[in-house]
Amino acid sequence: MAIPNVPEGAKVRSVSEVTAEIRGLLEEGFASVWITGEVSNLARPSSGHVYLVLKDGQAQLRAVIWRGVALRLRFDPRDGLEVIVRGRMTVYPARGDYQLVIEELHPKGIGARELALRQLCERLFGLGYFDARRKKPLPRFPRRVALVTSPSGAAVRDMLEILGRRWPAVEVWVCPVRVQGDGAAEEIAAAIRLVNRVGGVDVLIVGRGGGSTEDLWAFNEEIVAQAIFESRIPVVSAVGHEIDVTVADRVADRRALTPSEAAELVVPSRDELADSLQEVGKRLRVLLLNHVRQARRRWEELANRPVFRRPLDRVRELERRLDEQGERLGRAVRQQLTATRQAVESASARLETLSPLNVLGRGYSLTRTEPAGGVVRSAEQVRPGDRLVTHVQHGRIVSRVESTEGESPRVATRGL
């Protein structure tokens, strides 16, 4: 069937065919290409692949890192990172987009290892691995020390010689591991965890002798840092020389500049301790002698005091004071009794003066009515026939009223 407006003999292709031809040309022409750019729009789905966009000031290019390549990367690519990549160009048919399949990726201006180390240090710092407050103190007199190191290196021989010379009583366990190369970090971490599970070890030394950065890289791995961080046993890191600082050094409870210094740190020196004990003994003797001299002088001062030479003088003095106090107390009591007696006599005299009996003694009498007992003060209080009782100084008189008279009544009485 003829198709309108299509030249005769023209080949009509499908979208898939055109896309396939373009993909073939693109992959053949750009089978291996190096490109530099800035990472953006980075995504990490659960498949493990990494999708990103490389861009510069004028253009952008979609790119993908397949899972197998992503697992071998020594650092984590991030948005904004300048990188140099090697890959091949291809087309994604489902969208018709061309993209770069990255096979190598390197940070621009910095090595991949160095960038990976920086990123690891940032992550471990955030997790508190370098916090000085969590670091454990080393025991003063360890009974058992474990060495996680190569069994054939010079470092282990130096540490064994120093440990034996400085503190022969210490028991040393050597946990042989590889300290460089593939799998070394896993062996070091496994040995640290094994020593913690076995128990009975007081301090643990992890280290090796000097070497290049590549040789020491196992001690920069996260798996080693995690094993040291989780160790219940204090860990001393002794990796390389003084100028070499690894992640293990920063995580460990104590860093030694060299393996030999590590051995000196974990055990005391027998000779130095003996010298120290002798010096302490000398100081102790001097202190004791000074103390004895001071005690003797004090005893002599006390012995020369009168209280010790004439001990009864104080007793007699107190007896005299007691006698004096007794005499004063007796006088005070007698004076108080005298004063009280005088006061009583004075009150008695005053009462005697006011007593009605004294009035009766002077010839007066006191007359009361019966049975009411009221005192008769006027004639109006009685009536003829009332019975009266008259009190005189020596007895009483009972009478009966015969009659009463005026304001100055004369009461006539007769004996009953």
Side-chain angles (χ1 to χ4, degrees):
M1 180 180 68
I3 301 176
N5 300 326
V6 176
E8 185 178 353
K11 183 178 179 180
V12 179
R13 297 176 174 84
S14 65
V15 175
S16 299
E17 289 175 341
V18 172
T19 301
E21 289 184 18
I22 294 174
R23 179 177 181 177
L25 292 173
L26 194 61
E27 290 181 349
E28 182 179 353
F30 297 90
S32 180
V33 60
W34 289 90
I35 301 175
T36 181
E38 179 185 332
V39 176
S40 65
N41 298 331
L42 188 139
R44 297 176 181 271
S46 59
S47 62
H49 306 317
V50 178
Y51 299 96
L52 56 96
V53 173
L54 291 176
K55 67 178 183 180
D56 56 20
Q58 289 77 36
Q60 64 180 17
L61 172 64
R62 293 182 180 275
V64 60
I65 306 174
W66 300 128
R67 181 174 182 273
V69 177
L71 291 175
R72 294 195 300 271
L73 292 178
R74 294 185 177 274
F75 66 97
D76 295 328
R78 299 176 182 175
D79 287 343
L81 183 65
E82 292 284 341
V83 296
I84 299 176
V85 302
R86 183 186 66 80
R88 55 185 176 83
M89 297 299 301
T90 186
V91 174
Y92 181 50
R95 289 199 304 265
D97 295 337
Y98 70 93
Q99 65 181 6
L100 175 68
V101 178
I102 297 176
E103 297 173 348
E104 291 184 38
L105 187 146
H106 306 279
K108 188 175 182 180
I110 186 174
R113 280 186 179 272
E114 184 177 353
L115 179 59
L117 181 59
R118 290 183 181 181
Q119 292 176 344
L120 176 61
C121 289
E122 291 175 2
R123 184 165 63 256
L124 296 182
F125 178 81
L127 294 174
Y129 277 42
F130 304 152
D131 192 348
R133 292 174 295 182
R134 52 152 289 273
K135 295 182 182 295
K136 298 176 285 296
L138 301 182
R140 183 70 179 92
F141 299 102
R143 293 172 298 176
R144 184 176 293 123
V145 176
L147 309 180
V148 177
T149 186
S150 170
S152 58
V156 68
R157 292 193 297 271
D158 292 342
M159 287 189 288
L160 289 174
E161 190 273 330
I162 293 173
L163 291 172
R165 184 184 71 249
R166 288 175 62 86
W167 197 248
V170 71
E171 181 180 340
V172 182
W173 289 1
V174 178
C175 301
V177 295
R178 287 183 296 164
V179 292
Q180 68 184 67
D182 294 337
E186 288 75 11
E187 287 190 18
I188 295 169
I192 295 172
R193 293 191 172 97
L194 176 61
V195 172
N196 276 269
R197 286 197 301 271
V198 172
V201 174
D202 299 308
V203 64
L204 195 155
I205 299 177
V206 179
R208 56 155 293 159
S212 65
T213 303
E214 290 291 332
D215 294 338
L216 306 179
W217 196 257
F219 296 91
N220 285 323
E221 296 288 350
E222 183 173 2
I223 188 173
V224 175
Q226 184 178 6
I228 295 174
F229 179 77
E230 295 174 350
S231 174
R232 298 187 308 274
I233 303 169
V235 178
V236 177
S237 177
V239 181
H241 300 298
E242 181 176 356
I243 60 173
D244 302 315
V245 180
T246 63
V247 173
D249 292 327
R250 300 182 65 183
V251 180
D253 299 296
R254 188 75 176 269
R255 184 208 172 199
L257 302 180
T258 63
S260 298
E261 187 187 53
E264 295 176 353
L265 286 175
V266 299
V267 295
S269 169
R270 176 183 58 180
D271 297 335
E272 293 176 0
L273 186 60
D275 294 340
S276 177
L277 289 175
Q278 290 180 357
E279 183 63 27
V280 170
K282 292 178 182 178
R283 291 201 299 269
L284 183 60
R285 284 192 295 271
V286 172
L287 291 173
L288 288 175
L289 289 174
N290 291 336
H291 186 72
V292 170
R293 293 191 188 98
Q294 293 176 0
R296 182 179 290 110
R297 284 196 299 268
R298 181 63 175 164
W299 178 82
E300 291 174 352
E301 292 174 358
L302 292 174
N304 291 327
R305 289 187 177 182
V307 69
F308 291 104
R309 289 187 287 107
R310 295 185 298 276
L312 295 179
D313 288 354
R314 179 61 174 168
V315 176
R316 290 166 183 158
E317 180 182 351
L318 293 176
E319 288 177 345
R320 284 196 300 271
R321 290 186 182 180
L322 183 60
D323 293 340
E324 292 173 358
Q325 293 289 344
E327 292 176 1
R328 284 197 295 270
L329 181 60
R331 287 195 300 270
V333 171
R334 289 192 295 273
Q335 290 173 358
Q336 184 64 34
L337 288 175
T338 301
T340 303
R341 185 180 297 108
Q342 291 173 354
V344 170
E345 291 175 352
S346 176
S348 178
R350 287 196 299 272
L351 288 175
E352 184 68 22
T353 302
L354 298 175
S355 174
L357 297 177
N358 291 335
V359 177
L360 296 178
R362 294 196 297 271
Y364 292 92
S365 64
L366 178 66
T367 302
R368 297 178 180 273
T369 61
E370 284 194 353
V375 177
V376 178
R377 292 183 175 84
S378 68
E380 295 177 354
Q381 291 181 253
V382 298
R383 296 288 183 271
D386 289 347
R387 183 177 176 175
L388 303 177
V389 177
T390 301
H391 297 269
V392 295
Q393 185 177 11
H394 300 292
R396 66 177 187 165
I397 301 171
V398 179
S399 61
R400 192 176 298 276
V401 177
E402 291 184 353
S403 65
T404 61
E405 296 180 1
E407 294 183 355
S408 301
R410 293 194 301 269
V411 180
T413 61
R414 63 181 177 87
L416 297 180

